[in-house]
Amino acid sequence: MTHFDDVICEAIATMHLLVVEYGGAERLVQPHVYGDDAAGERLLSAYQVAGGSASGAATGWKSFRIEKVKSLTLSDRRFHAPRPEFQRNDGAFSRIICQIGG
């Protein structure tokens, strides 16, 4: 377990946005799924609503490798529903620690 587990799962359970420092940029994201990929890497699947991006896309679905996250904090802002295109039990994850809706 990483030290981010509790914060990420709390954000998912309460639908709070997260402020993530990743790739040299601060990003505001709606967390949806958190777990391990097939290689055992810890991932957060989230929809970025604002901030920087290495790809140049400031918004959209992103996968964040937790080992590369510099900092992560719970925002006081909330989102009110999962993204319409959100798919539970995402096949990119071999093990899900927490996700929206359970």
Side-chain angles (χ1 to χ4, degrees), residues 43-61:
L43 290 179
L44 169 64
S45 177
Y47 191 88
Q48 182 171 321
V49 296
S53 171
S55 69
T59 61
W61 285 102

Side-chain angles (χ1 to χ4, degrees), residues 1-2 5 8-9 33-45 63-67 89-99:
M1 295 292 235
T2 73
D5 290 357
I8 293 171
C9 288
V33 187
Y34 182 59
D36 299 330
D37 69 8
E41 300 283 341
R42 190 64 45 97
L43 290 179
L44 169 64
S45 177
S63 290
F64 298 96
R65 294 201 170 281
I66 297 305
E67 71 202 28
N89 302 318
D90 187 323
F93 292 85
S94 64
R95 183 173 82 96
I96 292 174
I97 296 170
C98 52
Q99 66 181 326

Side-chain angles (χ1 to χ4, degrees), residues 6-8 10-12 14-19 31 72-77:
D6 292 341
V7 175
I8 293 171
E10 179 183 345
I12 288 173
T14 60
M15 297 182 87
H16 276 82
L17 282 87
L18 288 169
V19 179
L72 184 142
T73 54
L74 201 61
S75 167
D76 57 0
R77 292 177 51 192

